[in-house]
Amino acid sequence: MMTEYVTQFCTIATSKRLAIRWSLLLAILAFEFMAITIRHDMPPLLETEVSWSVRLFHSSNKIWRIGLWIICANLLIFSPRIKAVLGSLREQSSDYHWSIWLAFHIFTFFAFAVVTAFLFATPVNPARLTAFWFTVWFTLLSATLLLWLLALAPGQFWLRLIRQEYTALLMGGMLGIGAWQTIRVLNRREGFLGQEEFWNSLSIPTMQLVHALLSWIYDDLVYQPLVYQPEKFLLGTTSFQVEIFYPCSGLEGIALITLFLAIYLWLFRKALRFPQAFWLFPLGILFIWLANAVRIAMLIAIGASFSPEVALQGFHAQAGWIAFTLIAIGAIALSNRMQFFTIANSGFPVVGADKSLAAALLVPLLALMAASMVSSAFSSGFDRLYPVRVAAIAVALYYFRDAYKGLGWSWSWQALLIGTAVFLIWMLLEPDADSSKTALSQGLAELTSGSAVIWLAFRVIGSAIAVPLAEELAFRGYLIRKLTAKDFENVPLGQFSWFSFMATSVLFGLMHERWVAGILAGMGYALALYRRGQLGDAVIAHMTTNALIAVFVLTQAKWSLWS
């Protein structure tokens, strides 16, 4: 009995030690990636620069894009066997002397950074862009990545992985490169596939529907007659017009809702009735296309009758996401409530026993996201309605206040230190920007002094108190435990798997514009939760980071941090 207990304790301790080590290595790699890509870039290639070595250097910025596509493709291919691969990685890395490889990696990266600074210094000297220097630069880059992999796991693991999975790795590389090249082709205005002409043909019915909707408002107005030129894809009024090319035809919304429904049907395939569930695809596509037409009609109406700036900036950017979110939620609700789509007595997760606690943990963040989309949709860069976000979170927190008891609200001084460390990392990764030209600084200048003080007070309260509470309840209170076990209520706070730790950190980072810093911040807040199993530690660490950013913004007028 005692032997089993000791073995189990050692296994848990080893897993946590590996999680911390891998998090450190990923943080180092992310920091190095940001340091190189933010500080160095190649200027546009001139037609007079015909040297193949110069063109090779100019193509070097595609390396990381292709690499990301290959990594994503391999993760997709390895997804059925990812647990076995991670198990082998954990087994071979437990007693591995990795620090020496990390030291070699840091030394090689320093040499790579020096050579990169020498070659890509502004203004770029074409005389340095020779085949010799490209060979040196690429060799140092390859050595840096190789040594990082050796710090992550022993060479024996990588050689065995290559021998056993060389076919899958080759397929992942080909799939990643093919996906990258396909996206490049489809993003061209004119390509050999004739994609612009093809997708523009889908814009015609969209224009016709938008024109019909606008005719109800503007046809009888002499001072605002409609402008309708299908041959030029032009639609609007005499004072405000838009071009409806293929990006506005509804294609992006159709692709998003199709992907969402495919993932939804796969995840809940045991609870849904097939083939009836496939009817969600045409219904979702139809509604997203109709919503896109209504969005364009509203955009033209706002631009012609209210504010062109609001129409082109806030509304244009957010209305599509609002429509997509509503239709996605509507598809889930429809499939859950209609027996045509759902198997009877299937134990559908939406109505499970953990509904009340899950709602209490998720609704504040959902309220924040909904309020953000609505307030941003009616702004022209500067969100005057930011107090609506704070109010939405406050209402949700008050409504579910009784459900938050027992989540562990004590905190420690170490949480403050973690929050401060995240703040320092965030500032190190923050690119230089002229804060005087941001929409936030210009918007504040247009307010009266009293209104500006009130807006800033809400901004500080939201950033330092409301937003950390909403995000930590959702990510560290719910999602990190839900990805550990289905019955997340039985998972103690602070206990999570390597997968849930990484997945929540990545998702947390992707919610922020500065996604690399956001991922590292998510890791830091998860570690704060892990130390004592108190959600209060993660909340305090998050509040500390955001409060320090707020102080820096207000004292240094660094408005770009809030932009």
Side-chain angles (χ1 to χ4, degrees):
M1 184 71 178
M2 180 61 69
T3 303
E4 293 179 357
Y5 175 78
V6 172
T7 302
Q8 184 179 7
F9 176 80
C10 293
T11 302
I12 295 174
T14 301
S15 298
K16 292 181 177 179
R17 186 172 68 252
L18 287 175
I20 295 174
R21 180 202 302 177
W22 292 342
S23 301
L24 173 64
L25 290 173
L26 287 172
I28 291 173
L29 185 65
F31 175 79
E32 292 171 348
F33 172 78
M34 292 292 293
I36 292 295
T37 56
I38 288 177
R39 295 182 178 277
H40 305 289
D41 196 9
M42 286 295 294
L45 185 65
L46 301 177
E47 295 182 0
T48 55
E49 295 173 336
V50 295
S51 171
W52 67 270
S53 61
V54 175
R55 293 183 179 276
L56 203 58
F57 270 104
H58 277 276
S59 301
S60 61
N61 60 353
K62 299 182 179 67
I63 292 176
W64 70 269
R65 295 186 180 94
I66 298 174
L68 287 177
W69 277 106
I70 292 176
I71 291 172
C72 292
N74 276 289
L75 288 175
L76 179 64
I77 292 175
F78 278 94
S79 57
R81 306 187 297 279
I82 192 67
K83 288 186 177 180
V85 174
L86 289 177
S88 176
L89 176 62
R90 186 183 299 109
E91 179 181 352
Q92 297 192 35
S93 301
S94 57
D95 298 323
Y96 178 55
H97 298 290
W98 60 283
S99 56
I100 184 66
W101 295 108
L102 177 60
F104 283 135
H105 165 78
I106 294 175
F107 176 79
T108 308
F109 172 77
F110 178 76
F112 172 70
V114 171
V115 172
T116 301
F118 170 74
L119 295 175
F120 293 86
T122 305
V124 175
N125 183 0
R128 298 174 180 172
L129 307 183
T130 62
F132 169 77
W133 278 113
F134 182 84
T135 303
V136 172
W137 180 82
F138 189 78
T139 301
L140 286 173
L141 171 62
S142 302
T144 301
L145 295 176
L146 177 62
L147 290 169
W148 184 86
L149 290 174
L150 291 174
L152 184 67
Q156 181 182 358
F157 168 81
W158 298 113
L159 291 174
R160 182 180 178 184
L161 182 66
I162 293 172
R163 284 196 301 267
Q164 294 181 347
E165 303 287 352
Y166 68 91
T167 303
L169 291 170
L170 182 61
M171 289 178 58
M174 295 175 61
L175 180 62
I177 294 174
W180 167 75
Q181 185 64 30
T182 301
I183 294 298
R184 287 187 65 211
V185 169
L186 292 178
N187 281 336
R188 293 174 185 167
R189 294 287 293 179
E190 297 180 359
F192 63 89
L193 296 177
Q195 62 272 10
E196 182 176 0
E197 291 76 13
F198 174 72
W199 294 123
N200 278 345
S201 66
L202 299 182
S203 300
I204 296 175
T206 303
M207 286 192 66
Q208 293 172 343
L209 180 56
V210 174
H211 180 258
L213 293 172
L214 291 174
S215 297
W216 296 346
I217 305 173
Y218 292 101
D219 257 6
D220 297 332
L221 299 180
V222 177
Y223 69 93
Q224 283 274 47
L226 283 177
V227 174
Y228 181 54
Q229 300 177 8
E231 68 281 359
K232 297 181 179 180
F233 299 97
L234 198 64
L235 181 62
T237 68
T238 53
S239 62
F240 186 84
Q241 302 162 19
V242 297
E243 289 181 321
I244 306 179
F245 285 110
Y246 65 92
C248 298
S249 65
L251 173 66
E252 293 181 358
I254 291 173
L256 281 173
I257 200 66
T258 301
L259 178 61
F260 171 82
L261 290 174
I263 296 174
Y264 171 66
L265 263 61
W266 171 259
L267 291 176
F268 300 109
R269 58 192 181 278
K270 295 181 180 179
L272 295 171
R273 190 188 301 275
F274 291 92
Q276 292 89 327
F278 288 124
W279 279 102
L280 291 173
F281 284 105
L283 288 174
I285 290 171
L286 174 62
F287 278 101
I288 200 73
W289 179 74
L290 293 173
N292 180 64
V294 173
R295 176 185 71 91
I296 296 174
M298 292 180 64
L299 183 145
I300 294 173
I302 293 173
S305 304
F306 177 61
S307 170
E309 292 77 15
V310 170
L312 293 175
Q313 297 182 29
F315 188 84
H316 181 263
Q318 299 297 329
W321 285 109
I322 294 173
F324 168 76
T325 304
L326 292 176
I327 292 171
I329 294 174
I332 294 174
L334 181 68
S335 63
N336 186 29
R337 293 181 178 275
M338 291 185 63
Q339 292 185 359
F340 178 78
F341 294 110
T342 309
I343 299 174
N345 301 322
S346 62
F348 201 78
V350 176
V351 292
D354 59 353
K355 178 181 178 182
S356 59
L357 180 58
L361 296 173
L362 291 175
V363 167
L365 179 62
L366 295 176
L368 168 63
M369 295 172 64
S372 300
M373 287 190 290
V374 172
S375 64
S376 298
F378 294 96
S379 68
S380 57
F382 172 62
D383 189 0
R384 295 173 180 265
L385 300 178
Y386 185 88
V388 174
R389 305 187 192 188
V390 180
I393 298 173
V395 170
L397 291 174
Y398 181 79
Y399 182 80
F400 291 104
R401 62 191 182 279
D402 293 333
Y404 302 134
K405 299 176 181 178
L407 292 179
W409 293 105
S410 67
W411 59 277
S412 64
W413 290 104
Q414 288 83 354
L416 294 174
L417 296 177
I418 292 175
T420 303
V422 172
F423 164 74
L424 295 175
I425 294 173
W426 197 284
M427 297 305 300
L428 286 173
L429 295 177
E430 179 67 16
D432 293 332
D434 187 359
S435 294
S436 63
K437 296 181 180 179
T438 61
L440 176 57
S441 61
Q442 295 173 357
L444 286 173
E446 296 174 359
L447 297 178
T448 62
S449 58
S451 299
V453 169
I454 294 174
W455 190 93
L456 287 172
F458 273 100
R459 188 64 173 84
V460 172
I461 293 172
S463 178
I465 299 176
V467 171
L469 277 170
E471 291 183 346
E472 293 309 312
L473 286 171
F475 282 94
R476 259 61 67 178
Y478 173 79
L479 188 58
I480 200 169
R481 293 192 290 165
K482 187 67 174 178
L483 293 177
T484 302
K486 291 183 178 179
D487 53 341
F488 79 97
E489 288 180 307
N490 296 325
V491 178
L493 286 164
Q495 178 179 322
F496 45 80
S497 64
W498 168 251
F499 171 74
S500 64
F501 170 74
M502 287 303 304
T504 52
S505 298
V506 171
L507 290 174
F508 181 80
L510 293 178
M511 280 190 60
H512 298 76
E513 182 179 350
R514 300 158 177 84
W515 59 272
V516 174
I519 292 174
L520 299 179
M523 292 178 177
Y525 304 147
L527 292 176
L529 172 66
Y530 159 77
R531 286 192 62 262
R532 299 191 311 128
Q534 297 287 315
L535 187 62
D537 281 334
V539 172
I540 290 297
H542 197 157
M543 287 182 173
T544 301
T545 302
N546 287 13
L548 291 173
I549 291 176
V551 171
F552 191 84
V553 169
L554 296 177
T555 56
Q556 305 297 320
K558 190 70 173 179
W559 305 111
S560 59
L561 282 166
W562 275 355
S563 299

